Amino acid sequence: MKFFNVKTVTETLAVIAEEFRPVRLPVEVPLAEALGMVLAEDVISGEQVPHFARSTVDGYAVRAKDTFGASDSLPAFLTITGQIDMGRAADLYLHEGQAQAIPTGGMLPDGADSVVMMEHVEEVGDLLNVYRQVAPGENVVRAGDDVEIGETVMAAGHRLRPQDLGVLAAIGRTSVRVYPRPIVGILSTGDEVVPADKRELAPGEVRDINSVTVGAAARQHGADVIFGGIVKDDCDAFLAKAEELYRQVDFLILSGGSSVGTRDFTVQVMQSLGEPGVLVHGVSIKPGKPTILARAGEKPLLGLPGHPVSALIIFHLFAVPILHRLQGIRPSASDKRLPARISRNIPSAVGRSDYVRVKLEERSDGLWAVPVFGKSGLISTLAKSDGMVEIAANKEGILEGEVVSVYVFP
Amino acid sequence: MKFFNVKTVTETLAVIAEEFRPVRLPVEVPLAEALGMVLAEDVISGEQVPHFARSTVDGYAVRAKDTFGASDSLPAFLTITGQIDMGRAADLYLHEGQAQAIPTGGMLPDGADSVVMMEHVEEVGDLLNVYRQVAPGENVVRAGDDVEIGETVMAAGHRLRPQDLGVLAAIGRTSVRVYPRPIVGILSTGDEVVPADKRELAPGEVRDINSVTVGAAARQHGADVIFGGIVKDDCDAFLAKAEELYRQVDFLILSGGSSVGTRDFTVQVMQSLGEPGVLVHGVSIKPGKPTILARAGEKPLLGLPGHPVSALIIFHLFAVPILHRLQGIRPSASDKRLPARISRNIPSAVGRSDYVRVKLEERSDGLWAVPVFGKSGLISTLAKSDGMVEIAANKEGILEGEVVSVYVFP
């Protein structure tokens, strides 16, 4: 098979960044359904958080200047005029020389500007001895200290985590605008491929592993999945099924049979689905060279190699960034990989990115990445791995003890 | 409030490891529902993978010894006797001096032991010129090379990833025994706390942020959640509601109001729910000191501080390991944290573990952790953070430039 538009990994990622964006319009969902979804709006607060001045300690609300100079030997003397209840408005004004008991989280009464901690006072009937001075604002969170009205609390492109939902709830939002989960279609091809739930295999048959692994990985990365089943090595049947699935989904993944014929069909099918067609035909990478990337209209099409190991590695490298683009996700520094030292020399060819599966081992001197070797296509090597390490195209290999970045499989 | 059994973070984690295990019996689920679930069985293969010898290249199946000594100048001459089709049994025996065309993934016929690559042969009618010798087994994956019958492919306690489902499918499993998702009950307390969806707050009221954040975080870590709503600072009402929820769940989380009274009620309620009762009452940690851990029968009970920030930090530190125990998860080296350099000095008290929220920044010289400061309880600081850094109890602080481990919020 000839590859007519071979690109490097970096070039392929640049094509993905350039060519793809959210295909579907944002939707409004209730907060309870928004975990893991990606914001399609800049969230601007319409409220102050907290919306009243609160005490951060158990103690007495006071005017700070009434306590100035107070010490163990020379306490300030104040009059206790009330007690603030949790969850209630503090509606008794606090005048000069007065104090009101206040619990942690209680509302500061008008007139007060600070709170003296319980540990620094003594109650004597209605009188309060204050043994420590406080500054204005001490032990108080002011209205709007957490979030101000008009403040942008979160920007579009952010994937919502539990704490983000907490901020949205705090500012009174009950729903939020997000990008819908992209729908991924998966179609397997190959005369040898039979459904994964077939109990007894005939000689020459293999189960459809890629639908299982790629389907699960797509769900892990925020997509819903429609399985198109398996088509045999027949170009017309392949095209008919691919067209049907293409219409239902936002992103079509074709998991190629390993025969030459099927790979050629994949290119033909991709070219037939719509303009501009094939963008990348072959990537200088091992494993995974026969990767094909195309666009038909707005929708990405990805042709994965047939071998389960290659297919899943290519999924992590290219389908995950495509899914990020379809969900409008902005890259963040927390996508970082895990540094570890490699446990042995690994040679590699210059001009090709190699991806080596590794197991992580915690040793007394830190984290080590131990390569998991095995013939191409052995799915068990992937199950034994914690992640993968890239040997960049400009390197001839990596040396034992060298620090590498491990992409940890989620 | 007095803490009567204060422990360090390490001691608390040891209590968790000692006291908790799966509460419910394993269940059998279809593979399609098993992503993220935890294996409750050692999986032993009943099949060979692949279940027949396969070619890893496009070429000709041969007997290796027929090619010995073959070179460009002195090719071996073989007779082509057939062609192997994908997905079909290779039922024509291969005799000495013969070759059969075979595609990548095709079944090796009996009699053959290796495959010569297409690039190294020339077809001349029925004759095949072979220009390169191959060794026995070359370009072939033997039956059982990936997985052998009787091999343990995965051990109990492993959380199922896409590639693990792939291996299970490859060995013909259509369902698998896993621990059920634990059910977490969340009950919020405090006279000031009102439902998160209340539009207009009265003075003194705050929305129930902890149910939102802790509920979402529990789901992220494999649990289903039942919300018990909000109870006011009334010990009888609190106990009645807690008992009702306790009966429905595997793990009860009480999110404490911040007032002294509520905290005392939490201890009483925990002691009333069952033996042995409170195990840890106070942790030497900042934020989060008023954390309470108990066991009632087999079920864990966790009392979180009322402040949203403290509550979520304590959730990550203690509720996540409890959820791991309830799901039978074995710790793995890939739980590792992300190393980064801290961008400024942070002082800390010896004898107390401090948790500092940080933002990750990629700079030209690597990854930096930039502390996100803010008064205690500001939920917006958590939404601005990518993770948190521990200053261990035996340290007086960390110095600018020091390498720290960042627990990245999922």
Side-chain angles (χ1 to χ4, degrees):
Chain A
M1 182 192 203
K2 294 277 185 291
F3 296 101
F4 59 77
N5 193 9
V6 176
K7 292 199 189 297
T8 65
V9 171
T10 308
E11 288 166 348
T12 306
L13 290 173
V15 169
I16 289 169
E18 172 65 29
E19 295 281 340
F20 305 118
R21 50 196 48 79
V23 171
R24 289 195 291 148
L25 291 177
V27 291
E28 188 90 14
V29 299
L31 280 201
E33 295 167 21
L35 179 65
M37 309 288 287
V38 180
L39 266 182
E41 58 170 327
D42 294 335
V43 176
I44 295 162
S45 182
E47 289 192 17
Q48 285 187 315
V49 180
H51 80 297
F52 56 90
R54 302 183 75 184
S55 177
T56 61
V57 297
D58 295 328
Y60 279 84
V62 297
R63 294 179 174 211
K65 68 174 165 49
D66 287 346
T67 70
F68 288 171
S71 67
D72 283 342
S73 52
L74 197 68
F77 302 104
L78 301 177
T79 308
I80 300 171
T81 58
Q83 173 177 328
I84 289 143
D85 290 326
M86 290 301 289
R88 299 283 174 95
D91 43 20
L92 181 67
Y93 190 87
L94 189 132
H95 294 276
E96 202 177 319
Q98 296 183 341
Q100 293 179 30
I102 190 168
T104 305
M107 178 174 174
L108 204 71
D110 282 342
D113 62 7
S114 50
V115 177
V116 191
M117 290 174 78
M118 198 54 88
E119 292 84 331
H120 302 145
V121 300
E122 191 177 11
E123 295 158 34
V124 186
D126 279 354
L127 287 184
L128 189 73
N129 300 352
V130 177
Y131 298 105
R132 190 81 62 91
Q133 64 180 0
V134 287
E138 194 165 335
N139 299 323
V140 168
V141 175
R142 293 190 187 85
D145 260 359
D146 203 339
V147 180
E148 269 301 349
I149 293 175
E151 187 181 331
T152 301
V153 292
M154 256 166 270
H158 180 69
R159 190 192 280 282
L160 294 167
R161 303 164 299 168
Q163 58 266 46
D164 303 319
L165 300 179
V167 171
L168 293 171
I171 64 173
R173 292 289 298 258
T174 54
S175 66
V176 70
R177 230 172 148 62
V178 297
Y179 291 106
R181 291 170 69 88
I183 300 172
V184 170
I186 300 174
L187 185 56
S188 291
T189 62
D191 282 342
E192 78 280 24
V193 181
V194 298
D197 60 2
K198 184 171 180 185
R199 290 277 176 182
E200 296 284 331
L201 296 181
E205 291 181 345
V206 295
R207 295 195 181 91
D208 180 15
I209 306 305
N210 286 347
S211 285
V212 173
T213 55
V214 170
R219 285 172 51 207
Q220 251 183 345
H221 288 89
D224 290 325
V225 177
I226 298 179
F227 293 102
I230 302 160
V231 287
K232 298 294 173 186
D233 289 352
D234 171 301
C235 198
D236 291 340
F238 188 2
L239 180 58
K241 187 71 200 172
E243 273 178 342
E244 182 194 329
L245 197 55
Y246 168 80
R247 281 193 296 270
Q248 302 172 56
V249 303
D250 305 321
F251 174 15
L252 180 58
I253 296 180
L254 304 173
S255 157
S258 44
S259 70
V260 179
T262 314
R263 286 185 305 212
D264 290 339
F265 291 158
T266 303
V267 173
Q268 279 180 254
V269 165
M270 285 185 169
Q271 291 290 35
S272 305
L273 286 176
E275 293 296 325
V278 172
L279 306 166
V280 178
H281 183 212
V283 181
S284 49
I285 183 177
K286 181 189 168 191
K289 189 175 182 195
T291 297
I292 309 168
L293 178 66
R295 179 161 65 78
E298 286 191 295
K299 298 179 184 177
L301 314 174
L302 182 65
L304 296 177
H307 276 151
V309 171
S310 310
L312 200 52
I313 287 178
I314 295 302
F315 182 91
H316 285 295
L317 282 178
F318 302 130
V320 170
I322 291 172
L323 286 171
H324 283 187
R325 296 290 299 164
L326 291 178
Q327 292 171 86
I329 294 177
R330 292 189 312 184
S332 98
S334 57
D335 296 336
K336 282 294 122 338
R337 296 164 185 208
L338 202 58
R341 279 189 286 166
I342 197 87
S343 71
R344 45 166 292 177
N345 297 343
I346 305 178
S348 165
V350 170
R352 183 186 72 194
S353 301
D354 281 15
Y355 288 83
V356 177
R357 300 172 303 280
V358 296
K359 207 169 168 48
L360 292 167
E361 279 185 18
E362 172 116 57
R363 299 183 186 169
S364 58
D365 59 348
L367 196 62
W368 287 77
V370 180
V372 176
F373 288 109
K375 290 184 184 174
S376 158
L378 302 195
I379 179 79
S380 59
T381 61
L382 209 49
K384 285 172 192 146
S385 308
D386 295 314
M388 60 185 182
V389 165
E390 185 195 61
I391 308 176
N394 63 354
K395 295 199 70 173
E396 278 182 62
I398 42 181
L399 293 173
E400 182 185 331
E402 202 172 315
V403 174
V404 293
S405 287
V406 181
Y407 173 100
V408 178
F409 296 132
Chain B
M1 182 193 201
K2 294 279 185 292
F3 296 100
F4 59 77
N5 192 8
V6 176
K7 292 198 190 299
T8 64
V9 172
T10 309
E11 288 166 346
T12 305
L13 291 173
V15 168
I16 289 168
E18 173 63 28
E19 295 281 338
F20 304 118
R21 50 196 49 78
V23 170
R24 289 194 293 149
L25 292 177
V27 290
E28 188 91 14
V29 300
L31 281 200
E33 294 167 21
L35 180 65
M37 309 287 286
V38 180
L39 265 183
E41 59 169 325
D42 294 334
V43 176
I44 295 163
S45 180
E47 290 191 17
Q48 287 186 313
V49 180
H51 81 296
F52 56 91
R54 303 184 74 183
S55 177
T56 60
V57 296
D58 294 329
Y60 279 84
V62 297
R63 294 181 173 206
K65 72 176 162 51
D66 287 347
T67 70
F68 289 172
S71 66
D72 283 343
S73 55
L74 195 69
F77 302 106
L78 301 178
T79 308
I80 301 170
T81 59
Q83 172 177 330
I84 290 146
D85 290 327
M86 288 303 287
R88 299 283 173 95
D91 43 20
L92 181 67
Y93 190 85
L94 187 132
H95 294 276
E96 204 179 319
Q98 297 184 340
Q100 294 179 31
I102 189 168
T104 304
M107 178 175 174
L108 204 70
D110 282 342
D113 61 8
S114 51
V115 176
V116 189
M117 290 176 77
M118 199 54 89
E119 291 85 332
H120 302 144
V121 299
E122 191 179 9
E123 294 157 36
V124 186
D126 280 355
L127 287 185
L128 189 73
N129 300 351
V130 177
Y131 297 105
R132 189 79 62 92
Q133 64 180 1
V134 287
E138 195 164 334
N139 297 323
V140 168
V141 175
R142 293 191 188 84
D145 261 358
D146 203 339
V147 180
E148 269 300 348
I149 293 175
E151 187 179 331
T152 301
V153 293
M154 257 166 266
H158 179 69
R159 192 191 279 280
L160 294 168
R161 304 165 299 170
Q163 59 266 47
D164 303 318
L165 300 179
V167 170
L168 293 170
I171 63 171
R173 292 289 298 259
T174 55
S175 67
V176 68
R177 235 174 143 60
V178 297
Y179 290 106
R181 290 170 70 89
I183 300 172
V184 170
I186 300 174
L187 186 57
S188 290
T189 63
D191 281 342
E192 77 281 25
V193 182
V194 298
D197 59 3
K198 184 169 180 184
R199 291 275 178 186
E200 295 284 334
L201 296 181
E205 292 180 342
V206 295
R207 295 194 181 91
D208 180 15
I209 306 305
N210 287 347
S211 286
V212 174
T213 55
V214 170
R219 285 171 51 206
Q220 252 185 342
H221 287 90
D224 289 326
V225 177
I226 298 179
F227 294 102
I230 301 161
V231 287
K232 298 293 173 188
D233 291 350
D234 171 302
C235 197
D236 291 340
F238 189 1
L239 181 58
K241 189 70 200 171
E243 274 179 342
E244 183 193 331
L245 197 54
Y246 169 79
R247 280 193 296 271
Q248 302 171 57
V249 302
D250 304 321
F251 175 15
L252 181 58
I253 296 180
L254 304 172
S255 157
S258 44
S259 71
V260 179
T262 314
R263 285 185 306 212
D264 290 339
F265 291 159
T266 304
V267 173
Q268 280 178 253
V269 165
M270 284 185 169
Q271 291 291 32
S272 304
L273 286 176
E275 293 295 325
V278 171
L279 304 166
V280 178
H281 184 212
V283 180
S284 48
I285 183 175
K286 180 189 170 191
K289 189 176 181 195
T291 298
I292 310 169
L293 178 66
R295 178 162 64 79
E298 286 190 295
K299 298 178 183 177
L301 314 174
L302 183 65
L304 296 177
H307 276 150
V309 172
S310 310
L312 200 52
I313 287 178
I314 294 301
F315 181 91
H316 284 296
L317 281 178
F318 301 131
V320 169
I322 291 171
L323 286 171
H324 283 188
R325 295 291 299 164
L326 291 178
Q327 291 171 87
I329 295 178
R330 293 186 313 183
S332 99
S334 57
D335 296 335
K336 283 293 124 339
R337 297 165 184 206
L338 203 57
R341 277 189 287 166
I342 197 86
S343 71
R344 47 165 291 180
N345 297 343
I346 305 177
S348 164
V350 170
R352 184 186 71 193
S353 302
D354 281 15
Y355 287 82
V356 178
R357 302 175 294 286
V358 296
K359 209 169 166 46
L360 291 168
E361 279 184 19
E362 173 117 56
R363 299 183 185 168
S364 59
D365 60 349
L367 196 63
W368 286 77
V370 180
V372 177
F373 289 108
K375 289 185 185 174
S376 158
L378 301 194
I379 179 79
S380 59
T381 62
L382 209 48
K384 286 172 191 146
S385 309
D386 294 314
M388 61 185 182
V389 165
E390 184 196 62
I391 307 176
N394 62 355
K395 295 198 70 172
E396 276 183 65
I398 42 182
L399 294 172
E400 182 184 333
E402 202 171 316
V403 174
V404 293
S405 286
V406 181
Y407 173 101
V408 179
F409 297 132

